[in-house]
Amino acid sequence: MAAYSYLFKYIIIGDSGVGKSCFMLQFTDRRFKSQHDLTIGVEFGARSVNLEGKTLKLQMWDTAGQESFLSITRSYYRGAVAALLLYDITNRESFESLSRWLNEARNNANRNICIMLVGNKTDLEGQRQVSEAEAKAFAEENQMLWMEASAKTGHNVDNCFLELAKTVLEKLESGEYDLNNEQCGIKVGNANFKNSLMRNSMENKQKCNC
């Protein structure tokens, strides 16, 4: 029997330099690396968490922000159930690029992908160029979750991953994902959970037919 109830595949996207690799490292290893080479293609990380009585394995793919790697990173969108879209609160340009990244995700990923907008580098509050209000408004307009965090201090990093996982879990248990589709971004590790999901899905369909 697998050591997890479900495995969720995440992608981390956004401009180069917004702190994607450091964000993932803070979540997986609880440490910050001040000097980090630019990601070439993709980097991988994983961590198991407990949420609502279930063990979730979060499998993360940190994608390169440079346009020259888009042809490589696009292939990772299709198999992801969740995305963290990062911008740097001290870098206005990274915020203005969000629409392009959001289009990339929605054009190349699964229809039901859950996306959270994350304003990174709150430890540099004095250098802020993007207000909380406008970031929150952008997230609401585009039907995304939103949170600010700091990969350096760890502030809200866990919460970003967990809130996104909670949203995926709610959709999963309401029958919104086809677990027979290998590209849905979810794997079931415990057969009992899969059987339960199948029953819930059938019950929901019967209710809709009444």
Side-chain angles (χ1 to χ4, degrees), residues 58-179:
L58 307 184
Q59 188 183 79
M60 292 148 280
W61 298 90
D62 162 33
T63 63
Q66 303 98 306
E67 292 217 14
S68 57
F69 292 108
L70 275 179
S71 61
I72 299 173
T73 58
R74 277 179 181 144
S75 63
Y76 289 87
Y77 287 79
R78 287 189 289 275
V81 72
L84 290 164
L85 173 54
L86 266 65
Y87 67 96
D88 176 351
I89 69 164
T90 73
N91 183 335
R92 184 78 196 175
E93 186 176 344
S94 72
F95 180 75
E96 293 173 349
S97 297
L98 291 176
S99 292
R100 176 174 62 84
W101 285 108
L102 187 57
N103 287 335
E104 277 287 321
R106 289 186 167 157
N107 289 336
N108 293 286
N110 298 319
R111 180 175 57 85
N112 289 327
I113 191 169
C114 296
I115 304 175
M116 172 177 275
L117 179 65
V118 179
N120 190 29
K121 305 188 183 182
T122 56
D123 52 287
L124 300 176
E125 177 63 34
Q127 300 174 41
R128 179 186 286 274
Q129 294 182 5
V130 182
S131 72
E132 292 185 18
E134 62 182 326
K136 186 176 181 181
F138 180 83
E140 290 177 349
E141 180 183 345
N142 290 282
Q143 299 178 316
M144 293 184 287
L145 301 171
W146 170 79
M147 199 173 290
E148 288 192 339
S150 169
K152 184 175 183 177
T153 67
H155 172 67
N156 263 350
V157 171
D158 279 14
N159 287 336
C160 290
F161 284 93
L162 293 176
E163 282 299 310
L164 194 51
K166 184 178 179 181
T167 300
V168 173
L169 190 60
E170 289 172 352
K171 287 188 174 186
L172 170 62
E173 296 185 333
S174 67
E176 291 190 38
Y177 297 108
D178 178 8
L179 296 177

